[in-house]
């Protein structure tokens, strides 16, 4: 891609879920300086457990950007210890949701500050400052949104489905309780209107569990659609398969084709460009929007950076073509 970007356009907004999204967010953080990158995190997976306020996607992104993430699992902290879980099990406590000792500090401190009246976004910004993360990490809203799933076992809370039941139930419908009346974070709305905005990136996250909860937040989808900046998504499906997690299984249960193309259709009204894996070259002609091919399986840090550069170049090419 040859299009050089407009030097006045420095800001990038990325919509992001957990593990898959955080990989690209890390790549973007290495090519977009400091606070010019805003990562908007899904909070539809947030829940209360053992009296603690837990924000799994925010924490996955925060640990990833801070270099603290466990490289093997993708979630939680590296070099974690599990004394708390062992002690809890010995007391007959609930152990279906694993909380490492270091991770526990994040949840305890967040819970304490929430109870004292601080907003999730303010606590997140302060944690990021202390962990020396220059990227701006912002929850999609400070209001409560809860992803719930109608399954063959009835309506389930997200973590009940995802962790406790290991995605075994068949998903028939997905709902984002509270999303319609939730207010998008004002900094996100301001960034989407900012004339310096270069690109809006939809990370390769689960469409139903990570991206659509963000888009469902009141006014956010409209603000993205109305933004002057190009919107570019990266497919989380490579050659008809999810890299990990229930994306593919959910797509087939919901009656959708399991393909990169079907993901693009869900975002169609928003997308200006789409990045597909080279394995999916055959789908290129059918989408009706500019499509570029890349190596999208992010195994190494270099993969993450290279895909981030490719995504931004795709956005710059769209901006140049429409200027
Ligand atoms: P999680 O559900 O909390 O793990 O987080 P996400 O929703 O952000 O990520 C899940 C999605 O990321 C799945 O659909 C995976 O297929 C996708 N994914 C994970 N790693 C990669 C990768 O290296 N490349 C691409 N293109 N997708 C990935």
């Amino acid at each position: 891609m040859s299009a050089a970007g407009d030097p006045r356009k420095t800001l990038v907004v990325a919509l992001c879920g957990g593990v898959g999204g955080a990989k690209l967010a890390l790549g973007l953080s290495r090519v977009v300086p400091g606070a010019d990158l805003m990562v908007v995190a899904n909070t539809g997976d947030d829940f209360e457990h053992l009296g603690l306020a837990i924000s799994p996607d925010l924490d996955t992104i925060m640990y990833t950007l801070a270099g603290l993430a466990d490289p093997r699992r993708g979630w939680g902290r590296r070099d974690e210890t599990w004394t708390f879980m062992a002690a809890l099990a010995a007391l007959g406590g609930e152990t279906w949701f694993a909380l490492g000792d270091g991770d526990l500090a994040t949840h305890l401190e967040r819970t304490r500050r929430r109870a004292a009246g601080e907003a999730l976004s303010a606590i997140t910004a302060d944690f990021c400052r202390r962990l020396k993360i220059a990227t701006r990490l912002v929850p999609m809203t400070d209001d409560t949104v809860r992803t719930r799933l109608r399954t063959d076992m009835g309506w389930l809370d997200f973590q009940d489905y995802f962790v406790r039941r290991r995605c075994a139930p068949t998903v028939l419908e997905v709902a984002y309780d509270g999303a319609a009346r939730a207010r998008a974070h004002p900094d996100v709305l301001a960034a989407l209107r900012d004339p310096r905005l270069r690109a809006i990136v939809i990370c390769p996250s689960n469409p139903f569990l990570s991206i659509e909860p963000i888009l469902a937040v009141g006014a956010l989808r409209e603000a993205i659609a109305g933004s002057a900046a190009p919107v570019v998504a990266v497919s989380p499906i490579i050659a008809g398969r999810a890299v990990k997690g229930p994306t593919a299984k959910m797509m087939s249960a919901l009656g959708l084709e399991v393909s990169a193309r079907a993901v693009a259709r869900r975002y169609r009204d928003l997308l200006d460009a789409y990045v597909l894996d080279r394995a999916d070259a055959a789908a290129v002609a059918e989408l009706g929007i500019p499509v570029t091919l890349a190596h999208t399986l992010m195994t190494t840090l270099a993969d993450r950076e290279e895909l981030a550069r490719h995504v931004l170049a795709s956005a710059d090419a769209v901006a140049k073509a429409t200027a």
Side-chain angles (χ1 to χ4, degrees):
M1 216 155 307
S2 61
D6 177 340
R8 290 164 302 181
K9 308 261 184 201
T10 53
L11 304 182
V12 174
V13 169
L15 313 187
C16 188
V19 178
K23 288 185 190 173
L24 184 60
L26 178 62
L28 286 166
S29 75
R30 297 176 63 89
V31 299
V32 179
D36 281 353
L37 174 64
M38 174 186 280
V39 177
V40 181
N42 169 43
T43 58
D45 302 359
D46 290 14
F47 73 127
E48 286 241 330
H49 183 59
L50 307 175
L52 301 171
I54 300 184
S55 297
D57 285 355
L58 267 179
D59 291 348
T60 295
I61 302 166
M62 182 172 81
Y63 294 151
T64 300
L65 293 176
L68 293 173
D70 185 304
R72 198 174 37 84
R73 286 191 313 260
W75 56 270
R77 298 175 64 122
R78 63 165 74 234
D79 307 321
E80 187 62 282
T81 56
W82 301 93
T83 306
F84 168 75
M85 287 310 281
L88 186 63
L91 295 173
E94 271 189 64
T95 54
W96 59 271
F97 194 85
L99 294 166
D101 299 334
D103 190 32
L104 195 55
T106 305
H107 310 309
L108 272 170
E109 182 59 3
R110 176 165 44 224
T111 306
R112 182 188 71 74
R113 292 174 67 162
R114 294 282 308 269
E118 259 186 273
L120 180 61
S121 55
I123 300 167
T124 303
D126 187 49
F127 283 0
C128 287
R129 188 179 59 77
R130 290 170 189 275
L131 296 177
K132 307 208 170 5
I133 297 170
T135 296
R136 295 174 72 191
L137 173 60
V138 187
M140 63 192 196
T141 177
D142 278 323
D143 298 327
T144 301
V145 175
R146 292 291 174 264
T147 298
R148 302 193 72 237
L149 304 154
R150 186 167 67 81
T151 71
D152 53 349
M153 304 180 72
W155 280 99
L156 299 176
D157 289 340
F158 174 76
Q159 299 296 346
D160 190 5
Y161 161 79
F162 196 71
V163 180
R164 198 199 310 238
R165 297 172 200 258
R166 295 167 202 269
C167 309
T170 300
V171 175
L172 306 169
E173 187 182 344
V174 187
Y176 311 113
D177 286 4
R181 61 175 182 280
R183 290 155 300 178
H185 194 281
D187 289 358
V188 177
L189 295 176
L192 294 173
R193 282 192 303 264
D194 196 311
R196 292 171 300 158
L197 188 60
R198 177 181 178 190
I200 301 167
V201 179
I202 301 182
C203 289
S205 289
N206 184 313
F208 317 101
L209 302 179
S210 294
I211 301 299
E212 288 176 18
I214 302 176
L215 298 176
V217 168
L220 209 42
R221 192 174 191 123
E222 293 71 19
I224 292 168
S227 170
V231 181
V232 183
V234 178
S235 175
I237 298 288
I238 301 176
R241 300 168 70 157
V243 178
K244 69 171 263 302
T247 307
K249 192 174 153 206
M250 286 181 74
M251 289 181 89
S252 45
L254 291 166
L256 302 167
E257 176 189 282
V258 183
S259 67
R261 176 174 59 192
V263 175
R265 284 204 197 100
R266 299 197 69 83
Y267 307 142
R268 171 161 278 172
D269 57 320
L270 300 176
L271 289 190
D272 296 298
Y274 193 51
V275 179
L276 288 177
D277 195 84
R278 293 196 188 111
D280 292 305
V284 168
E286 303 161 34
L287 278 165
I289 47 167
V291 169
T292 56
L293 296 175
H295 170 67
T296 69
L297 183 62
M298 293 171 280
T299 310
T300 64
L301 186 56
D303 292 339
R304 289 159 171 75
E305 264 185 54
E306 203 176 306
L307 185 57
R309 284 207 182 85
H310 179 97
V311 168
L312 296 178
S314 299
D316 294 344
V318 169
K320 201 172 176 194
T322 53

